[in-house]
Amino acid sequence: MQLTQFTDLGLRVLMYLSHQGRDTPVTIAEVAERFTASRHHLVKVVHFMGQQGWLVTTRGKGGGLALAHPLNHYRLGATIRVLERLNELIDCGDPPCTLQGRCHLKSILDEAMEALFERLDRYTLADAVGAPTGQAIEMLHRLRPVL
Amino acid sequence: MQLTQFTDLGLRVLMYLSHQGRDTPVTIAEVAERFTASRHHLVKVVHFMGQQGWLVTTRGKGGGLALAHPLNHYRLGATIRVLERLNELIDCGDPPCTLQGRCHLKSILDEAMEALFERLDRYTLADAVGAPTGQAIEMLHRLRPVL
């Protein structure tokens, strides 16, 4: 029961962009290096988060990524719910379950997922990058520039 | 964020075995047919659940599977926790995250997982097979025998 790699990368991008006040823009190449992540996968998740209006992306030389909103705008439950896309603990169709539509377990699992998201919604990106995380992120930003 | 197929099959086996009072034993072949599931995967999960002391398995002709305890013994949170084995929403090591050990997000995700399991622990297998699920399972048991 893990978040998808897509969600995982999305969260890492949001956390990295939480550090503000830089002169130079943050690029995908830089995020890829800092998190040892696939550039290809990052492009996809950044594009998706741009479509959600979560990121501002500017193209070309001097372009880069930035958060579109203040940190406390990104409620973790709502954010992860969108990044995950499929929010069901069990796939009743694989293999096709003969109890589909008459299964109490499914409604119990759905209720537990809601409990998980409710708990996550008590926090925002601001909490996720509270000390010492924010400081660790700031250190990453100070590493040698990625060209 | 889905349960593993292993957990999914484990839960289906437990639910199927919740129906009691049959003259003939339930076999893996029968569960495989009723849930269109892989016999190979079922053997693994049944073996594992036997090791946990959840099932009684008897070998040879006339052998089969049965629950080792009453339905309300199987608390869903505890059961799923054991079936899942890895109970972390995010794998900080894949790709290796430079924030490991200094990450608030990780502790928020751990807390949310606890909230999910706490909610699941309010229910047992007896709840999962309450009406109309138990009746649907009983119907499955009445289908033609699997040899």
Side-chain angles (χ1 to χ4, degrees), chain A:
Chain A
M1 194 191 327
Q2 286 205 317
L3 300 176
T4 61
Q5 196 194 39
F6 188 83
T7 301
D8 182 339
L9 288 179
L11 293 170
R12 294 189 198 197
V13 171
L14 293 176
M15 289 175 79
Y16 192 69
L17 296 178
S18 70
H19 174 66
Q20 280 147 357
R22 258 175 56 154
D23 297 334
T24 54
V26 174
T27 62
I28 287 181
E30 178 180 332
V31 181
E33 189 183 281
R34 299 297 189 244
F35 289 96
T36 341
S38 147
R39 206 158 154 162
H40 175 70
H41 291 146
L42 278 172
V43 166
K44 282 195 195 169
V45 74
V46 162
H47 177 72
F48 178 80
M49 295 199 295
Q51 286 179 323
Q52 305 302 316
W54 298 352
L55 301 184
V56 177
T57 57
T58 45
R59 293 180 181 221
K61 197 170 152 59
L65 317 170
L67 295 181
H69 307 283
L71 300 185
N72 60 10
H73 173 89
Y74 301 85
R75 203 153 281 288
L76 292 182
T79 303
I80 292 176
R81 212 185 267 268
V82 171
L83 284 169
E84 282 288 298
R85 293 178 275 193
L86 182 66
N87 288 302
E88 301 198 323
L89 272 179
I90 210 161
D91 183 353
C92 305
D94 179 32
C97 186
T98 29
L99 300 174
Q100 265 185 76
R102 294 166 298 178
C103 183
H104 266 308
L105 178 64
K106 178 70 172 68
S107 57
I108 295 171
L109 292 174
D110 288 347
E111 184 188 321
M113 277 295 272
E114 281 308 309
L116 177 134
F117 283 120
E118 275 167 28
R119 184 60 64 102
L120 288 174
D121 270 335
R122 296 183 190 176
Y123 301 97
T124 71
L125 185 54
D127 300 303
V129 299
T133 315
Q135 285 68 19
I137 292 169
E138 196 178 335
M139 296 281 282
L140 289 181
H141 279 270
R142 287 194 188 149
L143 296 176
R144 66 177 171 72
V146 176
L147 301 177

Side-chain angles (χ1 to χ4, degrees), chain B residues 55-108:
Chain B
L55 302 184
V56 176
T57 56
T58 44
R59 293 181 182 222
K61 196 170 153 61
L65 317 170
L67 294 180
H69 307 283
L71 299 186
N72 60 10
H73 172 89
Y74 301 84
R75 201 152 284 285
L76 293 182
T79 303
I80 292 175
R81 212 185 267 267
V82 171
L83 285 169
E84 282 287 299
R85 291 177 277 192
L86 183 65
N87 287 303
E88 301 199 325
L89 271 179
I90 209 162
D91 184 353
C92 305
D94 180 30
C97 186
T98 30
L99 300 175
Q100 264 186 77
R102 296 167 297 176
C103 184
H104 266 309
L105 178 64
K106 177 71 171 67
S107 57
I108 296 170

Side-chain angles (χ1 to χ4, degrees), chain B residues 16-86:
Chain B
Y16 192 68
L17 296 177
S18 71
H19 174 67
Q20 281 148 357
R22 261 175 56 153
D23 298 333
T24 53
V26 174
T27 62
I28 287 182
E30 177 180 334
V31 181
E33 189 183 281
R34 298 297 189 242
F35 289 96
T36 342
S38 147
R39 205 158 155 163
H40 175 69
H41 290 147
L42 278 172
V43 167
K44 282 194 195 172
V45 74
V46 161
H47 177 71
F48 178 80
M49 295 198 297
Q51 285 178 322
Q52 304 303 315
W54 299 351
L55 302 184
V56 176
T57 56
T58 44
R59 293 181 182 222
K61 196 170 153 61
L65 317 170
L67 294 180
H69 307 283
L71 299 186
N72 60 10
H73 172 89
Y74 301 84
R75 201 152 284 285
L76 293 182
T79 303
I80 292 175
R81 212 185 267 267
V82 171
L83 285 169
E84 282 287 299
R85 291 177 277 192
L86 183 65

